[in-house]
Amino acid sequence: MEFSDVAAFFPILLKGAVVTVQITIGALILSSVLGLLLALMKLSPIRVFAVTAGTIINVIRGLPIIVQLFYIYFVIPELGIQLSAFQASIIGLGIAYSAYQAENFRAGIEAIDSGQIEAAKSIGMKSRLIMRRVILPQAIRITLPPYGNTSVMILKDSSLASTITVAEMTRAGQLIAASTFQNTTVYTMLALMYLALSLPLIFGVNRLERYFGKSAKGGGK
């Protein structure tokens, strides 16, 4: 590995890293919104909503992410909906991870003590108000650690966008390696750059887990 190669390749990989971060943020936002919606539907007392949400979650979790990306990028346009590869990657990853986010949110909501809900009802709070002011704020705190883990997974799986020609970091590395044959240099740099993006998230998740673990022990005393 020569420094001149590193200096030449780094700006190209850095541009790809920017696209990787954009895909990660977009997919994280979309998966969070869809995941919360699916979680609320699955917990709904209306059976149609609960069954529909459960079915959607099972179908999404049962399909490989790369198949979902291919379907959105290659099949959806045949239905008259035109999407760029960048848009398809965000939508594909967002939908794929919405199922996992839904289970995170559902577990957090179900972890809330039912006594708090009964107390809120006893003072005349409506269901929507209870959800907004009592349940969701506590559920969000509970789901933060698994939410952080999901963020790391989305960041790593953003590399799958390279399969539909998105010029993110992995795709940039593949193109450089194919034209220069400097496989060791390129893929070592690629691995280090993914680590540089992932490690802050991983450390953040670990801190959240320790923090909420201490909070739970403190609350139990």
mmCIF file of all heavy atoms in Angstrom, residues 150-192:
data_model
loop_
_atom_site.group_PDB
_atom_site.id
_atom_site.type_symbol
_atom_site.label_atom_id
_atom_site.label_comp_id
_atom_site.label_asym_id
_atom_site.label_seq_id
_atom_site.Cartn_x
_atom_site.Cartn_y
_atom_site.Cartn_z
ATOM 1 N N THR A 150 -29.901 -0.811 15.113
ATOM 2 C CA THR A 150 -30.501 -0.804 13.784
ATOM 3 C C THR A 150 -29.846 0.249 12.897
ATOM 4 O O THR A 150 -29.645 0.026 11.699
ATOM 5 C CB THR A 150 -32.018 -0.535 13.876
ATOM 6 O OG1 THR A 150 -32.630 -1.530 14.708
ATOM 7 C CG2 THR A 150 -32.672 -0.575 12.498
ATOM 8 N N SER A 151 -29.483 1.384 13.484
ATOM 9 C CA SER A 151 -28.798 2.436 12.725
ATOM 10 C C SER A 151 -27.475 1.932 12.165
ATOM 11 O O SER A 151 -27.128 2.204 11.005
ATOM 12 C CB SER A 151 -28.549 3.658 13.623
ATOM 13 O OG SER A 151 -29.743 4.158 14.162
ATOM 14 N N VAL A 152 -26.734 1.189 12.985
ATOM 15 C CA VAL A 152 -25.459 0.623 12.539
ATOM 16 C C VAL A 152 -25.692 -0.373 11.399
ATOM 17 O O VAL A 152 -24.951 -0.397 10.403
ATOM 18 C CB VAL A 152 -24.722 -0.059 13.704
ATOM 19 C CG1 VAL A 152 -23.459 -0.766 13.209
ATOM 20 C CG2 VAL A 152 -24.371 0.947 14.787
ATOM 21 N N MET A 153 -26.725 -1.189 11.524
ATOM 22 C CA MET A 153 -27.027 -2.186 10.489
ATOM 23 C C MET A 153 -27.408 -1.510 9.173
ATOM 24 O O MET A 153 -27.013 -1.966 8.091
ATOM 25 C CB MET A 153 -28.153 -3.106 10.971
ATOM 26 C CG MET A 153 -27.756 -3.997 12.137
ATOM 27 S SD MET A 153 -29.172 -4.832 12.897
ATOM 28 C CE MET A 153 -29.693 -5.897 11.549
ATOM 29 N N ILE A 154 -28.167 -0.421 9.257
ATOM 30 C CA ILE A 154 -28.540 0.298 8.036
ATOM 31 C C ILE A 154 -27.299 0.886 7.372
ATOM 32 O O ILE A 154 -27.158 0.846 6.142
ATOM 33 C CB ILE A 154 -29.568 1.409 8.347
ATOM 34 C CG1 ILE A 154 -30.907 0.793 8.770
ATOM 35 C CG2 ILE A 154 -29.779 2.309 7.135
ATOM 36 C CD1 ILE A 154 -31.943 1.816 9.216
ATOM 37 N N LEU A 155 -26.415 1.454 8.185
ATOM 38 C CA LEU A 155 -25.174 2.009 7.637
ATOM 39 C C LEU A 155 -24.393 0.946 6.869
ATOM 40 O O LEU A 155 -23.932 1.180 5.737
ATOM 41 C CB LEU A 155 -24.318 2.591 8.759
ATOM 42 C CG LEU A 155 -22.902 3.047 8.372
ATOM 43 C CD1 LEU A 155 -22.967 4.174 7.347
ATOM 44 C CD2 LEU A 155 -22.117 3.475 9.596
ATOM 45 N N LYS A 156 -24.237 -0.229 7.465
ATOM 46 C CA LYS A 156 -23.480 -1.295 6.793
ATOM 47 C C LYS A 156 -24.206 -1.806 5.557
ATOM 48 O O LYS A 156 -23.586 -2.051 4.518
ATOM 49 C CB LYS A 156 -23.213 -2.433 7.781
ATOM 50 C CG LYS A 156 -22.258 -2.062 8.908
ATOM 51 C CD LYS A 156 -21.873 -3.261 9.742
ATOM 52 C CE LYS A 156 -23.066 -3.853 10.456
ATOM 53 N NZ LYS A 156 -22.668 -4.993 11.333
ATOM 54 N N ASP A 157 -25.528 -1.967 5.661
ATOM 55 C CA ASP A 157 -26.281 -2.508 4.526
ATOM 56 C C ASP A 157 -26.505 -1.480 3.421
ATOM 57 O O ASP A 157 -27.006 -1.838 2.351
ATOM 58 C CB ASP A 157 -27.625 -3.065 4.998
ATOM 59 C CG ASP A 157 -27.481 -4.436 5.636
ATOM 60 O OD1 ASP A 157 -26.440 -5.075 5.430
ATOM 61 O OD2 ASP A 157 -28.411 -4.865 6.347
ATOM 62 N N SER A 158 -26.138 -0.216 3.672
ATOM 63 C CA SER A 158 -26.209 0.772 2.594
ATOM 64 C C SER A 158 -25.285 0.380 1.449
ATOM 65 O O SER A 158 -25.452 0.838 0.312
ATOM 66 C CB SER A 158 -25.841 2.171 3.114
ATOM 67 O OG SER A 158 -24.478 2.215 3.515
ATOM 68 N N SER A 159 -24.302 -0.481 1.749
ATOM 69 C CA SER A 159 -23.398 -0.959 0.698
ATOM 70 C C SER A 159 -24.152 -1.746 -0.371
ATOM 71 O O SER A 159 -23.683 -1.864 -1.505
ATOM 72 C CB SER A 159 -22.302 -1.829 1.306
ATOM 73 O OG SER A 159 -22.845 -2.980 1.930
ATOM 74 N N LEU A 160 -25.328 -2.281 -0.025
ATOM 75 C CA LEU A 160 -26.118 -3.022 -1.007
ATOM 76 C C LEU A 160 -26.627 -2.123 -2.122
ATOM 77 O O LEU A 160 -27.009 -2.608 -3.194
ATOM 78 C CB LEU A 160 -27.303 -3.713 -0.320
ATOM 79 C CG LEU A 160 -26.960 -4.836 0.664
ATOM 80 C CD1 LEU A 160 -28.210 -5.307 1.396
ATOM 81 C CD2 LEU A 160 -26.298 -6.003 -0.077
ATOM 82 N N ALA A 161 -26.633 -0.809 -1.878
ATOM 83 C CA ALA A 161 -27.069 0.122 -2.917
ATOM 84 C C ALA A 161 -26.144 0.064 -4.128
ATOM 85 O O ALA A 161 -26.537 0.450 -5.233
ATOM 86 C CB ALA A 161 -27.121 1.547 -2.361
ATOM 87 N N SER A 162 -24.925 -0.425 -3.917
ATOM 88 C CA SER A 162 -23.987 -0.550 -5.043
ATOM 89 C C SER A 162 -24.504 -1.527 -6.091
ATOM 90 O O SER A 162 -24.129 -1.442 -7.266
ATOM 91 C CB SER A 162 -22.614 -1.011 -4.539
ATOM 92 O OG SER A 162 -22.682 -2.318 -3.990
ATOM 93 N N THR A 163 -25.382 -2.448 -5.680
ATOM 94 C CA THR A 163 -25.902 -3.453 -6.626
ATOM 95 C C THR A 163 -26.882 -2.848 -7.621
ATOM 96 O O THR A 163 -27.188 -3.471 -8.633
ATOM 97 C CB THR A 163 -26.588 -4.611 -5.869
ATOM 98 O OG1 THR A 163 -27.702 -4.101 -5.116
ATOM 99 C CG2 THR A 163 -25.610 -5.290 -4.929
ATOM 100 N N ILE A 164 -27.400 -1.654 -7.310
ATOM 101 C CA ILE A 164 -28.288 -0.968 -8.260
ATOM 102 C C ILE A 164 -27.634 0.321 -8.754
ATOM 103 O O ILE A 164 -28.303 1.297 -9.040
ATOM 104 C CB ILE A 164 -29.689 -0.704 -7.663
ATOM 105 C CG1 ILE A 164 -29.599 0.089 -6.354
ATOM 106 C CG2 ILE A 164 -30.438 -2.005 -7.437
ATOM 107 C CD1 ILE A 164 -30.972 0.527 -5.825
ATOM 108 N N THR A 165 -26.304 0.294 -8.806
ATOM 109 C CA THR A 165 -25.456 1.337 -9.430
ATOM 110 C C THR A 165 -25.390 2.655 -8.674
ATOM 111 O O THR A 165 -24.969 3.660 -9.252
ATOM 112 C CB THR A 165 -25.892 1.625 -10.893
ATOM 113 O OG1 THR A 165 -27.137 2.324 -10.901
ATOM 114 C CG2 THR A 165 -26.005 0.333 -11.687
ATOM 115 N N VAL A 166 -25.789 2.698 -7.424
ATOM 116 C CA VAL A 166 -25.631 3.933 -6.648
ATOM 117 C C VAL A 166 -24.143 4.133 -6.355
ATOM 118 O O VAL A 166 -23.461 3.208 -5.901
ATOM 119 C CB VAL A 166 -26.420 3.878 -5.323
ATOM 120 C CG1 VAL A 166 -26.181 5.144 -4.499
ATOM 121 C CG2 VAL A 166 -27.902 3.721 -5.613
ATOM 122 N N ALA A 167 -23.656 5.346 -6.580
ATOM 123 C CA ALA A 167 -22.229 5.616 -6.419
ATOM 124 C C ALA A 167 -21.883 5.903 -4.957
ATOM 125 O O ALA A 167 -21.299 6.931 -4.624
ATOM 126 C CB ALA A 167 -21.813 6.789 -7.300
ATOM 127 N N GLU A 168 -22.260 4.957 -4.080
ATOM 128 C CA GLU A 168 -21.878 5.126 -2.680
ATOM 129 C C GLU A 168 -20.476 4.561 -2.476
ATOM 130 O O GLU A 168 -19.777 4.283 -3.437
ATOM 131 C CB GLU A 168 -22.920 4.480 -1.742
ATOM 132 C CG GLU A 168 -23.357 3.088 -2.107
ATOM 133 C CD GLU A 168 -22.306 2.061 -1.847
ATOM 134 O OE1 GLU A 168 -21.998 1.824 -0.671
ATOM 135 O OE2 GLU A 168 -21.790 1.480 -2.810
ATOM 136 N N MET A 169 -20.048 4.403 -1.234
ATOM 137 C CA MET A 169 -18.652 4.116 -0.953
ATOM 138 C C MET A 169 -18.195 2.772 -1.529
ATOM 139 O O MET A 169 -17.113 2.665 -2.104
ATOM 140 C CB MET A 169 -18.419 4.158 0.560
ATOM 141 C CG MET A 169 -16.978 4.300 0.967
ATOM 142 S SD MET A 169 -16.773 5.000 2.613
ATOM 143 C CE MET A 169 -17.698 3.854 3.639
ATOM 144 N N THR A 170 -19.005 1.747 -1.368
ATOM 145 C CA THR A 170 -18.621 0.431 -1.899
ATOM 146 C C THR A 170 -18.510 0.456 -3.423
ATOM 147 O O THR A 170 -17.564 -0.095 -4.006
ATOM 148 C CB THR A 170 -19.634 -0.641 -1.469
ATOM 149 O OG1 THR A 170 -19.634 -0.743 -0.047
ATOM 150 C CG2 THR A 170 -19.285 -1.997 -2.059
ATOM 151 N N ARG A 171 -19.484 1.087 -4.072
ATOM 152 C CA ARG A 171 -19.464 1.190 -5.535
ATOM 153 C C ARG A 171 -18.227 1.946 -6.001
ATOM 154 O O ARG A 171 -17.572 1.545 -6.976
ATOM 155 C CB ARG A 171 -20.729 1.903 -6.014
ATOM 156 C CG ARG A 171 -20.828 2.083 -7.524
ATOM 157 C CD ARG A 171 -20.983 0.773 -8.232
ATOM 158 N NE ARG A 171 -21.222 0.964 -9.653
ATOM 159 C CZ ARG A 171 -21.274 -0.016 -10.534
ATOM 160 N NH1 ARG A 171 -21.127 -1.274 -10.155
ATOM 161 N NH2 ARG A 171 -21.492 0.232 -11.812
ATOM 162 N N ALA A 172 -17.910 3.043 -5.301
ATOM 163 C CA ALA A 172 -16.716 3.814 -5.656
ATOM 164 C C ALA A 172 -15.463 2.948 -5.532
ATOM 165 O O ALA A 172 -14.579 2.984 -6.392
ATOM 166 C CB ALA A 172 -16.610 5.041 -4.753
ATOM 167 N N GLY A 173 -15.393 2.159 -4.464
ATOM 168 C CA GLY A 173 -14.252 1.278 -4.273
ATOM 169 C C GLY A 173 -14.156 0.229 -5.365
ATOM 170 O O GLY A 173 -13.058 -0.077 -5.866
ATOM 171 N N GLN A 174 -15.293 -0.340 -5.753
ATOM 172 C CA GLN A 174 -15.298 -1.349 -6.812
ATOM 173 C C GLN A 174 -14.791 -0.775 -8.129
ATOM 174 O O GLN A 174 -14.020 -1.423 -8.851
ATOM 175 C CB GLN A 174 -16.719 -1.895 -6.995
ATOM 176 C CG GLN A 174 -17.203 -2.758 -5.848
ATOM 177 C CD GLN A 174 -18.674 -3.126 -5.983
ATOM 178 O OE1 GLN A 174 -19.448 -2.392 -6.611
ATOM 179 N NE2 GLN A 174 -19.068 -4.254 -5.412
ATOM 180 N N LEU A 175 -15.212 0.434 -8.446
ATOM 181 C CA LEU A 175 -14.796 1.064 -9.700
ATOM 182 C C LEU A 175 -13.298 1.374 -9.693
ATOM 183 O O LEU A 175 -12.613 1.180 -10.703
ATOM 184 C CB LEU A 175 -15.608 2.351 -9.938
ATOM 185 C CG LEU A 175 -17.101 2.149 -10.201
ATOM 186 C CD1 LEU A 175 -17.812 3.483 -10.288
ATOM 187 C CD2 LEU A 175 -17.320 1.346 -11.483
ATOM 188 N N ILE A 176 -12.795 1.849 -8.547
ATOM 189 C CA ILE A 176 -11.363 2.138 -8.447
ATOM 190 C C ILE A 176 -10.561 0.850 -8.589
ATOM 191 O O ILE A 176 -9.567 0.792 -9.327
ATOM 192 C CB ILE A 176 -11.033 2.826 -7.109
ATOM 193 C CG1 ILE A 176 -11.695 4.196 -7.029
ATOM 194 C CG2 ILE A 176 -9.521 2.979 -6.950
ATOM 195 C CD1 ILE A 176 -11.581 4.844 -5.654
ATOM 196 N N ALA A 177 -10.975 -0.188 -7.874
ATOM 197 C CA ALA A 177 -10.253 -1.464 -7.914
ATOM 198 C C ALA A 177 -10.259 -2.059 -9.318
ATOM 199 O O ALA A 177 -9.259 -2.633 -9.776
ATOM 200 C CB ALA A 177 -10.864 -2.439 -6.920
ATOM 201 N N ALA A 178 -11.386 -1.927 -10.018
ATOM 202 C CA ALA A 178 -11.493 -2.496 -11.360
ATOM 203 C C ALA A 178 -10.581 -1.783 -12.362
ATOM 204 O O ALA A 178 -10.089 -2.399 -13.318
ATOM 205 C CB ALA A 178 -12.940 -2.419 -11.837
ATOM 206 N N SER A 179 -10.360 -0.490 -12.146
ATOM 207 C CA SER A 179 -9.558 0.280 -13.100
ATOM 208 C C SER A 179 -8.077 0.326 -12.747
ATOM 209 O O SER A 179 -7.239 0.555 -13.631
ATOM 210 C CB SER A 179 -10.091 1.716 -13.195
ATOM 211 O OG SER A 179 -10.013 2.365 -11.931
ATOM 212 N N THR A 180 -7.738 0.106 -11.475
ATOM 213 C CA THR A 180 -6.334 0.207 -11.051
ATOM 214 C C THR A 180 -5.730 -1.126 -10.633
ATOM 215 O O THR A 180 -4.509 -1.236 -10.528
ATOM 216 C CB THR A 180 -6.204 1.177 -9.860
ATOM 217 O OG1 THR A 180 -6.907 0.633 -8.723
ATOM 218 C CG2 THR A 180 -6.764 2.548 -10.203
ATOM 219 N N PHE A 181 -6.563 -2.107 -10.347
ATOM 220 C CA PHE A 181 -6.133 -3.420 -9.861
ATOM 221 C C PHE A 181 -5.416 -3.342 -8.507
ATOM 222 O O PHE A 181 -4.729 -4.276 -8.113
ATOM 223 C CB PHE A 181 -5.213 -4.124 -10.881
ATOM 224 C CG PHE A 181 -5.861 -4.317 -12.222
ATOM 225 C CD1 PHE A 181 -5.540 -3.482 -13.283
ATOM 226 C CD2 PHE A 181 -6.808 -5.311 -12.407
ATOM 227 C CE1 PHE A 181 -6.144 -3.652 -14.525
ATOM 228 C CE2 PHE A 181 -7.418 -5.487 -13.645
ATOM 229 C CZ PHE A 181 -7.082 -4.649 -14.700
ATOM 230 N N GLN A 182 -5.629 -2.225 -7.787
ATOM 231 C CA GLN A 182 -5.042 -2.063 -6.445
ATOM 232 C C GLN A 182 -6.043 -2.564 -5.400
ATOM 233 O O GLN A 182 -6.552 -1.801 -4.583
ATOM 234 C CB GLN A 182 -4.681 -0.590 -6.200
ATOM 235 C CG GLN A 182 -3.634 -0.033 -7.145
ATOM 236 C CD GLN A 182 -2.282 -0.686 -6.928
ATOM 237 O OE1 GLN A 182 -1.902 -1.027 -5.808
ATOM 238 N NE2 GLN A 182 -1.545 -0.886 -8.012
ATOM 239 N N ASN A 183 -6.348 -3.848 -5.471
ATOM 240 C CA ASN A 183 -7.394 -4.401 -4.606
ATOM 241 C C ASN A 183 -7.067 -4.259 -3.128
ATOM 242 O O ASN A 183 -7.932 -3.894 -2.318
ATOM 243 C CB ASN A 183 -7.615 -5.880 -4.945
ATOM 244 C CG ASN A 183 -8.190 -6.067 -6.332
ATOM 245 O OD1 ASN A 183 -9.046 -5.310 -6.754
ATOM 246 N ND2 ASN A 183 -7.705 -7.065 -7.059
ATOM 247 N N THR A 184 -5.849 -4.565 -2.740
ATOM 248 C CA THR A 184 -5.475 -4.503 -1.320
ATOM 249 C C THR A 184 -5.635 -3.097 -0.775
ATOM 250 O O THR A 184 -6.232 -2.885 0.291
ATOM 251 C CB THR A 184 -4.014 -4.972 -1.132
ATOM 252 O OG1 THR A 184 -3.880 -6.298 -1.621
ATOM 253 C CG2 THR A 184 -3.631 -4.924 0.340
ATOM 254 N N THR A 185 -5.113 -2.129 -1.505
ATOM 255 C CA THR A 185 -5.196 -0.734 -1.055
ATOM 256 C C THR A 185 -6.637 -0.266 -0.981
ATOM 257 O O THR A 185 -7.071 0.304 0.031
ATOM 258 C CB THR A 185 -4.409 0.178 -2.007
ATOM 259 O OG1 THR A 185 -3.048 -0.227 -2.030
ATOM 260 C CG2 THR A 185 -4.493 1.627 -1.551
ATOM 261 N N VAL A 186 -7.386 -0.503 -2.037
ATOM 262 C CA VAL A 186 -8.754 0.014 -2.120
ATOM 263 C C VAL A 186 -9.640 -0.596 -1.043
ATOM 264 O O VAL A 186 -10.334 0.125 -0.304
ATOM 265 C CB VAL A 186 -9.354 -0.258 -3.517
ATOM 266 C CG1 VAL A 186 -10.850 0.085 -3.527
ATOM 267 C CG2 VAL A 186 -8.625 0.541 -4.575
ATOM 268 N N TYR A 187 -9.631 -1.919 -0.918
ATOM 269 C CA TYR A 187 -10.564 -2.553 0.005
ATOM 270 C C TYR A 187 -10.123 -2.404 1.461
ATOM 271 O O TYR A 187 -10.967 -2.433 2.368
ATOM 272 C CB TYR A 187 -10.771 -4.016 -0.380
ATOM 273 C CG TYR A 187 -11.566 -4.136 -1.667
ATOM 274 C CD1 TYR A 187 -11.011 -4.672 -2.822
ATOM 275 C CD2 TYR A 187 -12.874 -3.671 -1.717
ATOM 276 C CE1 TYR A 187 -11.735 -4.762 -3.993
ATOM 277 C CE2 TYR A 187 -13.606 -3.752 -2.885
ATOM 278 C CZ TYR A 187 -13.033 -4.289 -4.025
ATOM 279 O OH TYR A 187 -13.771 -4.340 -5.186
ATOM 280 N N THR A 188 -8.826 -2.205 1.691
ATOM 281 C CA THR A 188 -8.382 -1.875 3.043
ATOM 282 C C THR A 188 -8.877 -0.491 3.428
ATOM 283 O O THR A 188 -9.378 -0.274 4.547
ATOM 284 C CB THR A 188 -6.847 -1.927 3.144
ATOM 285 O OG1 THR A 188 -6.390 -3.242 2.840
ATOM 286 C CG2 THR A 188 -6.388 -1.553 4.561
ATOM 287 N N MET A 189 -8.736 0.464 2.514
ATOM 288 C CA MET A 189 -9.257 1.814 2.767
ATOM 289 C C MET A 189 -10.767 1.786 2.977
ATOM 290 O O MET A 189 -11.302 2.456 3.864
ATOM 291 C CB MET A 189 -8.914 2.729 1.590
ATOM 292 C CG MET A 189 -7.440 3.065 1.452
ATOM 293 S SD MET A 189 -7.131 4.136 0.021
ATOM 294 C CE MET A 189 -8.011 5.628 0.510
ATOM 295 N N LEU A 190 -11.442 0.985 2.166
ATOM 296 C CA LEU A 190 -12.901 0.892 2.268
ATOM 297 C C LEU A 190 -13.321 0.352 3.631
ATOM 298 O O LEU A 190 -14.230 0.890 4.283
ATOM 299 C CB LEU A 190 -13.420 -0.009 1.151
ATOM 300 C CG LEU A 190 -14.908 0.054 0.804
ATOM 301 C CD1 LEU A 190 -15.301 1.447 0.378
ATOM 302 C CD2 LEU A 190 -15.219 -0.952 -0.307
ATOM 303 N N ALA A 191 -12.633 -0.693 4.079
ATOM 304 C CA ALA A 191 -12.946 -1.276 5.391
ATOM 305 C C ALA A 191 -12.697 -0.274 6.509
ATOM 306 O O ALA A 191 -13.519 -0.136 7.432
ATOM 307 C CB ALA A 191 -12.098 -2.529 5.612
ATOM 308 N N LEU A 192 -11.591 0.449 6.432
ATOM 309 C CA LEU A 192 -11.268 1.430 7.468
ATOM 310 C C LEU A 192 -12.267 2.585 7.486
ATOM 311 O O LEU A 192 -12.619 3.090 8.565
ATOM 312 C CB LEU A 192 -9.848 1.966 7.250
ATOM 313 C CG LEU A 192 -8.712 0.966 7.491
ATOM 314 C CD1 LEU A 192 -7.363 1.568 7.092
ATOM 315 C CD2 LEU A 192 -8.684 0.536 8.962
#
